[in-house]
Amino acid sequence: MQTTAAVLRETGNPLVLEDVEIEQPRAGEVLVRMVGVGVCHTDLGVIATAAPEQLPVVLGHEGSGVVEAVGEGVTSVTPGDHVVLSYNSCHDCDHCARGINVHCRNFVPLNLVGARLDGSSPLSCGDEKVFGHFFGQSSFARHAIASENNTVKVGRNLPLELLGPLGCGVQTGAGAVLNSLAPEEGSSIVVFAAGSVGLSAIMAAVVAGCSTIIAVDPKESRRELATQFGATHTVDPQAVDPVEAIREITGGTGARYSVDCIGLPQVVRQALECLQSYGVCATVGFQGMNNEVTIDQGHLLFGRSLVGVIEGDAVPGEFIPHMIELYLQGRFPFDKLISTFSFEQINEAIDAAHHGEVAKAVLTFDS
């Protein structure tokens, strides 16, 4: 069958809407008609840096939609079900068996290559192969082939067009707090960079009952948003030394927990140095696979920890329903992060996300 997809053909250039051929689902796969899809900074990174051998490719990995067909052996969803798509995992390796799917032995080939493990793609344009399995979905398209393993069924009473970011960005920030750090009630936490991931971490800190929630961001508009989402204090790192400001806010002790949501080396160091002893910093920011960070080992020796976190240490089939339940309780208003654009405005949405004009851009599709 034919569908319309936003194809990246040249690195750094705008995406092009094209009609492409999409296969019917194979065994273990699901065909989804897209209703909404978030724009994530991982998508922006690939647009800016993709190698020629990775092109042409359809990106998008925060999809939500309606199941149209399922392949052989699929039992968890049926046509008509509403679903959110997340990262893919094999469900067969030792890590998946232990419930740490984010460290699936096949994480890179299943999510970052844009093809199935056998090298094939569900998308094509004439005789040309189009990489169309990015994060097991490639949801910058009207239809996507996903795996049953990264498809999460959700209720039909929910705003489906807004749920896509739960599959990656929101899950990453919220999971870093609730899963990776699990702060005790009344504890202090600092979030560096108040974009959609950081704001999700702040909302999760409120859920966890943290009493001191500090947001560090150079943009005044982001600091104001952080306050609206539950930050008790904000710091402008261009105006003051954030480490000193955090120590002052916490009565000289430093924070118990911190989350780095940008990955810049100096920010990672600040997120570690602002901690008390004992303290834990979770770094979720990404600045490329080669990103050297220099730290003072003395900060670690005195009981501080620096941990790397992927996808919020979340198992999507468990954590996405948990976030939705918190949302229905009025305790996790992630929908207030979202600004919507039509699918045809994809390049405008990408530009708005790139320049920080919106917290989270989400593309919506006409039925």
Side-chain angles (χ1 to χ4, degrees), residues 154-218:
V154 297
R156 300 193 185 194
N157 60 325
L158 300 166
L160 183 59
E161 70 279 4
L162 304 183
L163 299 185
L166 295 178
C168 184
V170 174
Q171 172 173 261
T172 294
V177 174
L178 297 177
N179 297 330
S180 310
L181 296 178
E184 60 272 15
E185 188 172 352
S187 59
S188 55
I189 189 168
V190 187
V191 177
F192 286 80
S196 60
V197 174
L199 293 170
S200 299
I202 288 169
M203 286 188 284
V206 174
V207 169
C210 295
S211 59
T212 302
I213 303 172
I214 306 168
V216 181
D217 198 287

Side-chain angles (χ1 to χ4, degrees), residues 36 61 74 101 115-116 136 139 187 190 214 217 235 251 259 276 279 287 298 308 314 324 331 340 348 350:
H61 62 285
V74 173
N101 301 60
R116 301 182 178 102
S139 46
S187 59
V190 187
I214 306 168
D217 198 287
V235 173
V259 185
Q276 60 181 271
Q287 293 291 329
I324 289 173
R331 301 171 61 201
T340 58
E348 290 91 331
I350 288 170

Side-chain angles (χ1 to χ4, degrees), residues 339-355:
S339 299
T340 58
F341 298 76
S342 70
F343 179 49
E344 290 72 23
Q345 294 175 300
I346 187 168
N347 289 306
E348 290 91 331
I350 288 170
D351 189 65
H354 178 68
H355 290 97

Side-chain angles (χ1 to χ4, degrees), residues 15-321:
L15 306 186
V16 181
L17 295 184
E18 299 183 22
D19 289 334
V20 298
E21 293 295 323
I22 184 168
E23 297 178 353
Q24 288 299 307
R26 297 181 181 181
E29 293 183 340
V30 181
L31 174 66
V32 180
R33 174 177 59 80
M34 304 313 303
V35 173
V37 56
V39 176
C40 179
H41 280 275
T42 302
D43 298 310
L44 305 187
V46 176
I47 290 170
T49 64
E53 60 269 21
Q54 296 175 287
L55 303 175
V57 64
V58 177
L59 302 172
H61 62 285
E62 293 184 341
S64 59
V66 180
V67 175
E68 289 203 339
V70 300
E72 181 183 353
V74 173
T75 59
S76 62
V77 294
T78 58
D81 284 344
H82 290 192
V83 294
V84 172
L85 307 180
S86 188
Y87 70 86
N88 204 3
S89 57
C90 72
H91 285 206
D92 291 325
C93 69
D94 56 333
H95 283 179
C96 287
R98 292 171 56 197
I100 48 176
N101 301 60
V102 293
H103 300 296
C104 172
R105 300 289 186 183
N106 290 304
F107 186 92
V108 170
L110 282 172
N111 291 280
L112 301 180
V113 173
R116 301 182 178 102
L117 287 179
D118 65 5
S120 66
S121 171
L123 300 183
S124 61
C125 189
D127 294 331
E128 179 186 43
K129 174 183 175 179
V130 177
F131 288 97
H133 213 51
F134 186 63
F135 275 77
Q137 55 182 281
S138 285
S139 46
F140 283 170
R142 291 193 174 275
H143 294 83
I145 290 288
S147 164
E148 181 179 25
N149 292 346
N150 68 318
T151 302
V152 180
K153 183 178 176 180
V154 297
R156 300 193 185 194
N157 60 325
L158 300 166
L160 183 59
E161 70 279 4
L162 304 183
L163 299 185
L166 295 178
C168 184
V170 174
Q171 172 173 261
T172 294
V177 174
L178 297 177
N179 297 330
S180 310
L181 296 178
E184 60 272 15
E185 188 172 352
S187 59
S188 55
I189 189 168
V190 187
V191 177
F192 286 80
S196 60
V197 174
L199 293 170
S200 299
I202 288 169
M203 286 188 284
V206 174
V207 169
C210 295
S211 59
T212 302
I213 303 172
I214 306 168
V216 181
D217 198 287
K219 287 191 175 183
E220 182 179 4
S221 60
R222 292 293 177 89
R223 296 195 300 274
E224 291 174 352
L225 269 177
T227 300
Q228 294 174 26
F229 282 103
T232 59
H233 302 77
T234 63
V235 173
D236 179 357
Q238 294 181 330
V240 298
D241 180 340
V243 174
E244 292 303 317
I246 291 162
R247 292 198 178 281
E248 182 177 347
I249 291 168
T250 56
T253 63
R256 178 72 76 184
Y257 302 100
S258 65
V259 185
D260 153 56
C261 300
I262 192 166
L264 294 172
Q266 69 272 24
V267 176
V268 176
R269 181 161 180 154
Q270 290 166 353
L272 180 64
E273 292 182 349
C274 76
L275 296 173
Q276 60 181 271
S277 179
Y278 135 94
V280 185
C281 169
T283 178
V284 306
F286 183 70
Q287 293 291 329
M289 293 304 295
N290 298 310
N291 183 32
E292 292 190 5
V293 177
T294 301
I295 60 175
D296 181 348
Q297 190 213 9
H299 287 284
L300 300 179
L301 286 175
F302 283 89
R304 298 174 183 87
S305 301
L306 176 64
V307 297
V309 176
I310 297 292
E311 294 286 351
D313 282 331
V315 177
E318 299 171 1
F319 196 62
I320 289 174

